[in-house]
């Protein structure tokens, strides 16, 4: 349990770095003189780092081991943090965001795989992984908002404080064991034999074998991509919307308001009964959340915005946990990190298009119309994933499930 806790802590710390910047965008925009579209570009730089890493190095830890990749991710997080703390212009922000994205891309598949290899029970491993992932996201934005309200020079102080947390995570890393079975071949006497070699190249995202299994995996990927559109909005332009359209000027309130999405997602993953972690329930929550958020923006109601955020966060958590369970059901030890990387590729790719559309539309037609376009895009994408998942259910045969099932009923999905 000590090893699992250590991995989860390092995972949480690195993920927190991905959202630490969210409440500070409005300060950088004022300081460096950029608008909503540039804010989106800075955010997308992070996504580029994540997606590029998943494509090139998603299977790295399958070859070299989990521990080295966890250490590399933590080191890149610390480097990006120094960059944010010393940033004197847009260029440094962009470089630091890319480095932060690379760190996230490295740790998502690696830490998720390491936890799955140490924890008995598919559902328990999925809950721990998603709790560390989304818990880190929520802690990052809330802590940054509170610190920004309480300290002087928040665009510097917040990151120096976080760097100290990274140092603690570095010490915790020392107790993490190696968990990857495929790191080296064993000889007859139990000593390490030939080390598996890894070469950097752009890899085609892997999919499970079998048409029905592929459809179920892709359905879960499309649904988590749709929920990522909500994450993208909250991770880029939501603070500006709260500040300029809803009249919220307190950084702590902004941090908590955005953090509500991630906190709600975390609770949905850890508290929600297993039988309710389903595609249709997640899609319904997503639709309700986006409708209420839109109503809040049109009526300038901050409380209504929080209510919609709770629903949307519950949807994000439900769809993320469901998709991670499906992915884990399809993994075998030799490609666990690689298939998990493909799942996270769906997730982070879903951040780019909706947020870019929102940034362009915000400058062209204003907040209300652009947010309505985002809501329509997110909900319609989720419906596509839901229909694809139901098509899998209707075409499945008993032979389809002779291997780990991708058509996961509430009972099958949560069998440990």
């Amino acid at each position: 349990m000590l090893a699992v806790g250590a991995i989860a802590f390092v995972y949480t710390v690195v993920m927190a770095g991905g959202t630490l910047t969210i409440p500070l965008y409005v300060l950088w925009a004022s300081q460096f003189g950029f608008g909503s579209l540039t804010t989106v570009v800075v955010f997308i730089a992070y996504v580029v780092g994540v997606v590029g890493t998943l494509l090139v190095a998603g299977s790295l830890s399958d070859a070299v081991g989990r521990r080295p990749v966890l250490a590399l991710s933590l080191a890149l997080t610390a480097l990006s943090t120094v960059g944010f703390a010393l940033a004197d212009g847009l260029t440094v922000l962009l470089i630091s965001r890319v480095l932060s994205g690379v760190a996230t891309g490295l740790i998502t598949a690696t830490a998720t795989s390491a936890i799955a290899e140490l924890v008995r029970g598919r559902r328990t491993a999925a809950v721990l992984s998603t709790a560390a992932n989304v818990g880190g996201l929520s802690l990052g934005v809330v802590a940054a908002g509170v610190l920004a309200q309480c300290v002087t020079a928040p665009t510097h102080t917040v990151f120096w404080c976080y760097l100290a947390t990274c140092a603690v995570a570095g010490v915790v890393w020392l107790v993490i064991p190696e968990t990857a079975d495929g790191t080296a071949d064993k000889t007859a006497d139990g000593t390490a034999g030939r080390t598996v070699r890894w070469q950097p190249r752009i890899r085609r995202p892997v999919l499970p074998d079998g048409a029905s299994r592929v459809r179920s995996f892709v359905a879960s990927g499309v649904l988590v991509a749709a929920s990522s559109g909500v994450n993208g909005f909250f991770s880029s332009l939501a603070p500006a919307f709260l500040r300029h359209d809803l009249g919220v000027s307190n950084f702590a309130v902004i941090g908590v308001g955005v953090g509500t999405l991630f906190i709600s997602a975390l609770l949905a993953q850890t508290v929600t009964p297993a039988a309710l972690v389903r595609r249709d329930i997640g899609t319904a929550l997503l639709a309700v959340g986006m409708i209420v958020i839109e109503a809040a923006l049109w009526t300038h109601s901050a409380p209504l915005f929080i209510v919609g955020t709770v629903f949307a966060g519950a949807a994000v958590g439900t769809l993320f946990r469901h998709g991670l369970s499906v992915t884990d059901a399809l993994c075998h030890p030799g490609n666990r990190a690689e298939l998990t990387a493909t799942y996270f590729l769906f997730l982070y790719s879903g951040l780019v298009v909706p947020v870019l559309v929102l940034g362009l539309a915000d400058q062209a037609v204003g907040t209300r119309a652009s947010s309505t376009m985002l809501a329509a895009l997110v909900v319609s994408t989720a419906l596509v994933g839901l229909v694809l998942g139901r098509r899998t259910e209707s075409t499945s045969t008993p032979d389809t499930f002779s291997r780990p099932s991708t058509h996961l009923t509430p009972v099958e999905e949560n069998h440990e």
Side-chain angles (χ1 to χ4, degrees):
M1 288 304 294
L2 177 62
V4 175
I7 295 170
F9 180 77
V10 172
Y11 194 4
T12 301
V13 169
V14 173
M15 294 306 298
T19 57
L20 209 65
T21 57
I22 293 175
L24 305 176
Y25 282 134
V26 292
L27 293 176
W28 280 322
S30 175
Q31 183 179 349
F32 301 138
F34 56 75
S36 59
L37 183 57
T38 304
T39 298
V40 168
V41 171
V42 174
F43 171 73
I44 289 178
Y46 170 78
V47 180
V48 168
V50 176
V51 173
T53 303
L54 291 173
L55 286 172
V56 175
S59 63
L60 177 61
S61 71
D62 283 334
V64 304
R66 313 300 187 210
R67 291 186 85 243
V69 179
L70 290 172
L72 177 59
S73 175
L74 194 55
L76 290 173
T77 298
L79 183 60
S80 70
T81 302
V82 173
F84 287 126
L86 300 177
D88 58 357
L90 182 60
T91 301
V92 178
L93 285 182
L94 289 170
I95 294 173
S96 298
R97 282 303 273 168
V98 171
L99 288 175
S100 179
V102 172
T104 300
L106 287 172
I107 203 167
T108 47
T110 302
T112 300
S113 298
I115 290 172
E117 287 155 353
L118 286 175
V119 175
R120 295 183 61 185
R122 184 177 301 152
R123 176 175 175 268
T124 303
V127 169
L128 285 174
S129 297
T130 52
N133 186 304
V134 184
L137 296 175
S138 59
L139 284 173
V141 66
V142 172
V146 172
L147 280 174
Q149 187 64 33
C150 298
V151 302
T152 57
T155 55
H156 303 290
T157 306
V158 167
F159 296 104
W160 293 127
C161 292
Y162 175 65
L163 192 62
T165 306
C166 291
V168 174
V171 175
V172 171
W173 173 85
L174 295 174
V175 306
I176 296 175
E178 182 54 65
T179 64
D181 293 332
T183 304
D185 293 333
K186 299 287 186 179
T187 60
D189 60 0
T191 58
R194 178 183 58 83
T195 300
V196 178
R197 292 185 177 182
W198 177 84
Q199 293 181 338
R201 59 184 176 86
I202 297 178
R203 287 166 164 76
R204 179 177 60 84
V206 300
L207 294 171
D209 296 328
S212 180
R213 293 157 61 86
V214 168
R215 281 196 298 269
S216 187
F217 179 73
V218 171
S220 298
V222 171
L223 284 167
V224 82
S227 68
S228 292
V230 183
N231 275 351
F233 166 63
F234 277 82
S235 300
S236 56
L237 293 181
F241 280 37
L242 285 168
R243 191 176 182 89
H244 302 307
D245 293 276
L246 301 183
V248 179
S249 59
N250 186 291
F251 287 106
V253 175
I254 291 175
V256 171
V258 175
T260 298
L261 179 85
F262 301 112
I263 294 170
S264 178
L266 178 60
L267 292 175
Q269 294 163 47
T270 57
V271 177
T272 301
L276 298 181
V277 182
R278 296 168 42 178
R279 296 185 184 105
D280 52 354
I281 292 177
T283 303
L285 289 170
L286 188 63
V288 171
M290 294 309 296
I291 290 171
V292 176
I293 288 172
E294 279 306 300
L297 293 175
W298 281 84
T299 60
H300 301 286
S301 171
L304 196 60
F305 183 88
I306 296 298
V307 172
T309 300
V310 170
F311 277 98
V316 170
T318 299
L319 294 174
F320 182 81
R321 177 175 155 188
H322 175 271
L324 200 60
S325 296
V326 170
T327 302
D328 186 63
L330 298 170
C331 289
H332 60 77
N335 82 332
R336 183 180 298 278
E338 195 170 22
L339 190 62
T340 304
T342 301
Y343 173 70
F344 280 106
L345 190 60
F346 273 105
L347 189 154
Y348 285 102
S349 297
L351 292 171
V352 177
V353 174
V355 176
L356 187 58
V357 168
L358 180 63
L360 292 169
D362 183 54
Q363 294 197 165
V365 297
T367 300
R368 292 182 178 180
S370 62
S371 62
T372 301
M373 293 171 60
L374 174 69
L377 181 60
V378 165
V379 173
S380 60
T381 303
L383 290 174
V384 170
L386 184 63
V387 170
L388 181 60
R390 288 186 172 178
R391 182 186 172 193
T392 301
E393 295 173 9
S394 64
T395 58
S396 298
T397 66
D399 291 338
T400 304
F401 307 116
S402 59
R403 292 168 291 180
S405 172
T406 58
H407 164 210
L408 300 176
T409 66
V411 174
E412 291 171 321
E413 177 179 324
N414 299 290
H415 174 67
E416 296 190 2

